[in-house]
Amino acid sequence: MGFLRSANAKGSGKYAMTDQPIAVVGATGYVGGRLVPRLLNAGYRVRAVARSVEKIGCRSWAGHPRVSAAAADVLDPAALAAALDGCRAAYYLVHSMVARKKGFADADRKGAFSMAAAAAAVHLERVIYLGGLGDVGHSRISLHLLSRHETGRILQAGPVPVTVLRAAMILGAGSASFEMLRYLVERLPLMIAPRWVMTPTQPIAIGNVLDYLVGCLACPETTGGSFDIGGPRVLRYVDLIHLFTREACLRRRVVLAVPFLSPGLSARWIHLVTPVPAAIAKPLAEGLATPTVCEETRIRSLLPIALIDCRQAIRLALQRVAQARVDTCWSDAGALQPPEWLSCGDADYSGGTVLACGYRARVHLPVAAVWEIVARIGGTTGWYFADVLWRLRGMVDRLLGGVGLRRGRRDPADLRVGDALDFWRVLAVTPPGRLLLLAEMKLPGQALLDIRVTSAGAGQTEIQLLSRFLPAGLWGILYWYALYPFHQMIFRGMLRALARTAGGTVAGRPRRFTPKLPAACRLPRR
C-alpha cells in the first residue's frame, strides 16, 4: 500500500490543506461509512451527507474535528445542493436497492439527476461514483446492473467531471453479497443451485474498493474517466462457495447446478435461508446471472495498489465477524422513518388510537449495570425471556416475506441510531437511559418498543418496557388483542430476566402502568 500513502500525500496538497471539504453522499451506507475514516486518515476534511443527521452522529468518526454533517435526501435537489455547498469534490455512494426495494431503479434515476444538478449548482470540481460491472448488451443483464450503469451515464452527462468506478461483488464483513454467501454456505451442506453459480465474476475486497476511491481523489488522471475495478482473479460463484468452505473450516459443500431455478425462485430460497430479504436477493441473484468481469484494467497502472485475493478477503471478513468488528452493514441502509404519532405517543391526530402495554419493575442495582444488559439485547444474546416465542415470531415473519430475526445486530454490545436489531430498527438510543425500537416485521399496523432505565433512588433502578401499536383497521385490532396476553407474560418475564442477568433481583413484582401523554399531546376537554 506504499503507493496509496504517497497518493494521499499528493492529494493532501490539493484538497485536504484547504477549508473546502470532500463530500461523501451516502455517508451512513456500507461503503460510505467506511470511506469517511479513510479520508480522515489521509488528511482530508469531510462533509458527511445522509438523510439522517442522527445516524451520522452515532458513527465513531462523527466527533472528528475535520467532519461536518449535513442532512439531505438525494431526491431533493435543493437540499442536496445546500449540503454540498462549499465542498471541493464529492463521492456519490447512494444505491436505493435496500431502502426502496422494488422501486430502486426509478429512485436511483431521480437521485442521479438530482446529484448532477446539485453538483453543477455549487460548482464542484469533480464527482466520484461507485457503480457496477456487467455488459449492458448482455441478454440476461439485470435491472440492478442496468440501473448502476444508467446512474453513471446520467452523472457523466452533467457539466461536472465524473469518475466512474465499476465493481462486481464486494467481499467484506457486512456486505449483502458476503452475508448471502456466508449464510448459504454455513447452513446448506447440499445446494441445488441455479445455473448462475457457474457464471464468471471478478469479486473485489472492500479494502481495495476504498483504496481506489481514495486514490482517485489524489490522481488527476482519473478525472472524468470510467474504470473497471476487480480483484486479481476471475472466479465462478461456485468457486467462492468452495473458498468460503475452506476458510471457514467447514466440510466440503456439494453444489448441484440445475437449469430450472429462476432468479425469482432463487431469491425466495435465499430469503428463507439468509438474512437478505427476497426484495434485495432477487436483483442480486439476477446480477449474478450476468458475467461481471473487468474488460479493461487501466486503473491498475494509474493506481498500482496491492490487490487482495478472494481467499484473503473472505478470511479478513470472517475475522471481523468473529471479533464483532463489523463497522458497517448492508441492513443499516435506508432512512429512519419514525411514525408520525411518535412525538405525542397518541395517534388521534393521524386518524387512529394507539394501543399500549407497559410494565415496570425496580431492581436492586445501579443504572449502569442494568443498562449494560439492556444494550446487549437481541442478536446472539436473545431477548432474555421466551426466546422460543421470539424465534417463532421471526420464523412466521420470514415466511410472510418479512425480515425475521436473522439480521441480528451489527455489534453484540454497541448500538447506534439506524442499526438493524433483529426485526426492529433503532430509532433512539441514549445511554444509559433509553432504547427505542421500531418494528420492521410484517404487521397489520405500526409498533414501537420503548425500553427505559432510570434511577429510583436508594441504590435501585426502574426498568420500563412499553409496547405501543397503531392498528391498521380491524385486523390490526384483532391482532393486538390476540397477542395481548403474550405481551403481558413476556414483559413480566423479561423484567425478571434482565434483573437476574445483571446480577440483581426485582423488588416486589413487575407492575403494569399506563403511559402519561405530554400536556401538549392531550386532547382538549369539551
Side-chain angles (χ1 to χ4, degrees):
M1 301 294 177
F3 171 83
L4 188 58
R5 285 194 290 272
S6 63
N8 287 338
K10 178 180 177 182
S12 298
K14 185 176 181 182
Y15 291 101
M17 304 309 291
T18 72
D19 290 333
Q20 291 181 286
I22 307 302
V24 177
V25 182
T28 57
Y30 178 73
V31 176
R34 299 181 185 218
L35 177 62
V36 171
R38 282 288 194 104
L39 292 171
L40 294 172
N41 289 338
Y44 296 102
R45 295 176 62 85
V46 177
R47 175 83 50 80
V49 182
R51 280 176 290 189
S52 171
V53 173
E54 291 79 8
K55 287 179 70 173
I56 295 175
C58 290
R59 298 300 187 259
S60 59
W61 39 259
H64 196 285
R66 282 186 276 111
V67 170
S68 58
D73 189 326
V74 295
L75 301 182
D76 184 344
L80 187 57
L84 298 176
D85 191 27
C87 293
R88 177 73 63 88
Y91 289 91
Y92 188 70
L93 303 173
V94 175
H95 188 11
S96 302
M97 189 170 67
V98 174
R100 305 279 177 172
K101 297 183 173 63
K102 293 182 180 180
F104 70 86
D106 186 55
D108 281 342
R109 184 179 306 113
K110 293 176 181 177
F113 279 117
S114 178
M115 180 65 191
V122 299
H123 308 292
L124 292 181
E125 288 187 2
R126 65 184 298 196
V127 172
I128 300 174
Y129 164 68
L130 179 62
L133 282 172
D135 180 8
V136 293
H138 194 277
S139 60
R140 294 197 304 271
I141 188 74
S142 68
L143 179 60
H144 162 53
L145 293 180
L146 282 174
S147 176
R148 298 283 76 205
H149 285 285
E150 182 186 29
T151 298
R153 289 197 302 270
I154 293 171
L155 291 172
Q156 288 185 317
V160 176
V162 175
T163 301
V164 175
L165 300 181
R166 295 185 291 258
M169 179 192 306
I170 296 177
L171 293 177
S175 78
S177 297
F178 177 78
E179 292 303 305
M180 188 170 80
L181 172 67
R182 179 164 75 97
Y183 276 82
L184 285 173
V185 177
E186 289 179 347
R187 292 175 180 270
L188 300 175
L190 170 64
M191 300 183 206
I192 300 176
R195 285 180 296 184
W196 52 251
V197 296
M198 300 299 179
T199 304
T201 185
Q202 198 164 351
I204 183 170
I206 180 61
N208 284 156
V209 173
L210 299 173
D211 290 339
Y212 280 128
L213 287 169
V214 177
C216 279
L217 189 60
C219 182
E221 292 82 2
T222 63
T223 303
S226 296
F227 304 92
D228 294 350
I229 60 173
R233 290 181 58 195
V234 176
L235 302 167
R236 302 168 301 169
Y237 199 83
V238 67
D239 299 323
L240 285 173
I241 290 172
H242 294 318
L243 279 177
F244 187 100
T245 301
R246 289 194 287 272
E247 287 303 318
C249 300
L250 300 170
R251 291 184 179 180
R252 183 175 178 82
R253 272 28 185 169
V254 178
V255 182
L256 302 176
V258 297
F260 53 79
L261 280 180
S262 68
L265 289 174
S266 300
R268 289 180 176 84
W269 180 243
I270 292 169
H271 173 90
L272 291 174
V273 176
T274 81
V276 181
I280 299 171
K282 189 171 187 291
L284 288 178
E286 290 173 340
L288 292 171
T290 307
T292 48
V293 177
C294 294
E295 296 181 356
E296 52 83 24
T297 57
R298 292 173 297 131
I299 192 74
R300 295 187 185 181
S301 61
L302 295 174
L303 300 172
I305 65 175
L307 293 177
I308 302 170
D309 64 33
C310 290
R311 175 172 288 187
Q312 185 182 359
I314 291 171
R315 184 183 308 138
L316 291 172
L318 286 173
Q319 289 173 355
R320 287 275 182 174
V321 172
Q323 297 165 1
R325 294 172 56 204
V326 181
D327 302 318
T328 59
C329 184
W330 68 270
S331 59
D332 296 339
L336 290 178
Q337 297 178 329
E340 294 180 1
W341 48 270
L342 173 60
S343 59
C344 286
D346 186 273
D348 291 327
Y349 306 99
S350 57
T353 299
V354 170
L355 304 172
C357 177
Y359 274 82
R360 60 188 173 195
R362 293 193 175 187
V363 183
H364 296 286
L365 285 170
V367 169
V370 177
W371 176 257
E372 182 180 354
I373 302 304
V374 169
R376 290 179 174 272
I377 203 164
T380 56
T381 300
W383 291 81
Y384 296 111
F385 180 77
D387 277 346
V388 172
L389 294 179
W390 288 96
R391 286 194 293 270
L392 179 61
R393 182 63 180 88
M395 290 172 58
V396 171
D397 188 58
R398 205 68 180 167
L399 290 172
L400 293 174
V403 295
L405 291 179
R406 285 207 191 96
R407 294 188 307 185
R409 46 184 291 165
R410 176 189 53 82
D411 185 280
D414 176 58
L415 283 176
R416 302 186 304 211
V417 172
D419 274 0
L421 177 55
D422 290 339
F423 43 46
W424 305 90
R425 179 76 58 180
V426 178
L427 284 187
V429 54
T430 53
R434 187 189 189 195
L435 175 60
L436 181 63
L437 305 174
L438 172 67
E440 292 189 332
M441 73 280 279
K442 294 289 185 179
L443 286 173
Q446 294 177 316
L448 293 167
L449 177 59
D450 199 347
I451 306 176
R452 301 196 184 214
V453 179
T454 57
S455 174
Q460 292 188 340
T461 295
E462 182 172 277
I463 314 173
Q464 293 185 1
L465 301 178
L466 173 63
S467 174
R468 285 180 283 175
F469 183 68
L470 177 63
L474 177 61
W475 284 114
I477 295 173
L478 294 175
Y479 171 87
W480 171 262
Y481 285 109
L483 293 183
Y484 193 77
F486 294 98
H487 285 153
Q488 293 179 304
M489 177 192 72
I490 289 173
F491 281 7
R492 289 195 296 261
M494 281 180 65
L495 288 169
R496 294 190 180 98
L498 285 167
R500 184 170 57 252
T501 306
T505 57
V506 170
R509 63 176 184 174
R511 294 184 178 277
R512 183 179 169 185
F513 75 96
T514 301
K516 293 182 179 180
L517 296 178
C521 300
R522 296 172 190 156
L523 292 173
R525 293 188 179 185
R526 296 181 179 178

